Amino acid sequence: MILPVVERAYRFLHDRVFLRMPEARAVRVGQLLLRAVPVAALRGFVVDDPRLAVTLAGVRLPNPVILASMYYDPRILRRAMALGFGAVTTKSITVTPRPGHPEPSLARLSTPEGPGFVNCNGFKNPGLDAFRAGLHALPHRRPLIVSVAGESPEEYQRLVEGLEAQADLVEINISSPNTRLVYELSAAPERVRGLLGLVRRATRKPVIVKLSPDYPEANHRAIVPAILETGIDGVNFGNTRRVADPRLSQGAGGVSGPSLFPGVLAEIRDLRRILGPRLGLVATGGIDAPDRALAALEAGADAVGYFTAFITRGPTLPRRIGEAILETLERRRLGSVADLRAGAPEGPAA
Ligand SMILES: Cc1cc2nc3c(=O)[nH]c(=O)nc-3n(C[C@H](O)[C@H](O)[C@H](O)COP(=O)(O)O)c2cc1C
């Protein structure tokens, strides 16, 4: 009963308040409101059903919906966990604090597929030591995926070692288009192999690598083979796509939102075939509705991640996706989310 009311209230807030503010102010106000919501008030959003559980790179998630990398504030991460995401990813953390690129660093994007953003955030984050200190206050109600971004292989190693205790999974970001330090790695796959070997030896926690949609050739020729050879546990496809945008302080940024989705879906099919059935695979990019989440799971993803839809579609989406999955499992007489994958055995005929 309460969910349709929350949905309508959020639609009003988004369309009548946030959309009328400049982007930077809308982000500040939105985060302020999110921090103010009592955690207990969010419990009604959770859909709890053992059939929704999935295994991602050896880690059990209570459902396959992941909040993608964007937030570092533990108060927000905690509320995302309470909202019913199956796992929550941190902002990409760097060794030293970074103020991010100057504003404007976020602009709205209207596409035929739906609303998105273009951003040049530039890894605004408090740095390894301060972030780690703050994380002690975060109860892990849901698995935490710690995302890291370095300027050298040794920095990635230091970040992975430094955050290992708090991470259920580690995500290696080699794909954000907003700083040269990370993005150029995707164009230099020979450096990625060494980096992945170092990271693999630095932790016993499962490691997934987040790929860029801008480097399909390098991904397939060199990075995915390096992932397989170094014993990395999974792949997240993917990050934002770089475009020129004169509205941003850097004159360019990364596109997020539903225009990414067709490319993500095609790539998930390819990656599942190349990676085999066991490696973890997350589909991220433009997932903003239950049917898109279902399509990505059917194409071979173990889980789906999103950030843009957290803003454009509001807090009830994890629940709506969970309910749509359960309805689909019942209709097709399947027992678990993994059975949705194309080629998985069907349940008994009706
Ligand atoms: C403002 C903003 C900041 C982001 N920061 C990060 C980051 O620190 N690390 C990262 O790997 N991805 C980052 N992303 C990318 C998202 O995690 C996600 O991969 C991308 O937005 C595509 O998914 P979506 O279409 O659901 O938003 C950021 C995206 C946005 C819009």
Side-chain angles (χ1 to χ4, degrees):
M1 259 311 265
I2 184 87
L3 282 175
V5 177
V6 173
E7 263 165 36
R8 275 202 301 278
Y10 187 81
R11 245 333 359 112
F12 181 84
L13 187 68
H14 180 265
D15 295 353
R16 302 287 179 85
V17 182
F18 291 155
L19 283 186
R20 290 181 182 179
M21 291 176 178
E23 286 87 339
R25 192 181 311 148
V27 168
R28 278 194 294 275
V29 173
Q31 295 194 5
L32 213 68
L33 290 175
L34 192 53
R35 284 190 208 102
V37 178
V39 174
L42 304 174
R43 302 256 153 84
F45 290 73
V46 179
V47 50
D48 225 352
D49 190 303
R51 288 172 296 169
L52 290 176
V54 294
T55 302
L56 173 65
V59 176
R60 184 186 180 280
L61 274 47
N63 69 65
V65 186
I66 297 176
L67 181 64
S69 178
M70 159 61 195
Y71 297 113
Y72 57 79
D73 182 339
R75 289 167 296 180
I76 294 184
L77 297 172
R78 185 171 176 207
R79 281 161 179 78
M81 288 180 181
L83 269 174
F85 284 98
V88 169
T89 315
T90 72
K91 177 89 197 156
S92 295
I93 303 302
T94 53
V95 171
T96 50
R98 291 175 67 97
H101 289 311
E103 289 176 4
S105 63
L106 184 74
R108 298 182 182 102
L109 204 62
S110 172
T111 72
E113 295 90 354
F117 297 113
V118 53
N119 91 85
C120 63
N121 176 283
F123 295 138
K124 180 176 177 193
N125 84 97
L128 172 59
D129 292 341
F131 178 71
R132 184 171 46 197
L135 267 193
H136 287 298
L138 178 70
H140 283 219
R141 287 168 42 90
R142 300 285 156 124
L144 185 71
I145 304 174
V146 172
S147 170
V148 296
E151 293 198 28
S152 65
E154 291 69 30
E155 278 201 1
Y156 278 93
Q157 179 186 13
R158 191 169 151 200
L159 287 157
V160 168
E161 287 172 351
L163 290 165
E164 177 174 41
Q166 281 89 3
D168 296 295
L169 290 118
V170 175
E171 184 165 279
I172 304 296
N173 181 1
I174 57 165
S175 48
S176 281
N178 303 312
T179 55
R180 290 180 54 170
L181 69 112
V182 163
Y183 192 58
E184 287 185 357
L185 273 171
S186 289
E190 64 292 346
R191 287 185 66 204
V192 173
R193 181 180 296 263
L195 160 69
L196 296 185
L198 209 57
V199 162
R200 179 64 292 169
R201 291 189 290 279
T203 179
R204 297 172 68 157
K205 294 282 170 72
V207 176
I208 56 184
V209 175
K210 191 168 181 185
L211 297 180
S212 166
D214 288 336
Y215 290 98
E217 199 275 327
N219 285 345
H220 283 267
R221 178 177 46 79
I223 298 179
V224 170
I227 285 170
L228 290 168
E229 283 160 30
T230 51
I232 295 297
D233 306 279
V235 170
N236 181 354
F237 190 91
N239 221 308
T240 53
R241 193 163 38 74
R242 187 176 167 87
V243 291
D245 194 317
R247 294 175 296 172
L248 298 176
S249 65
Q250 307 303 295
V255 168
S256 66
S259 65
L260 297 175
F261 184 69
V264 169
L265 197 58
E267 188 60 28
I268 289 295
R269 280 197 197 98
D270 264 12
L271 282 170
R272 178 50 79 198
R273 190 175 39 75
I274 297 164
L275 298 173
R278 297 221 350 254
L279 251 74
L281 184 55
V282 182
T284 306
I287 289 168
D288 67 351
D291 62 334
R292 287 184 168 145
L294 275 161
L297 295 168
E298 286 166 353
D302 296 304
V304 295
Y306 67 80
F307 165 66
T308 296
F310 189 55
I311 309 300
T312 57
R313 306 297 184 210
T316 56
L317 187 55
R319 186 180 175 109
R320 289 202 289 124
I321 293 175
E323 286 172 344
I325 293 173
L326 288 173
E327 193 267 322
T328 306
L329 293 180
E330 273 163 29
R331 190 163 29 82
R332 296 193 202 158
R333 297 177 165 247
L334 298 172
S336 72
V337 176
D339 295 338
L340 289 170
R341 196 181 291 175
E346 289 286 324

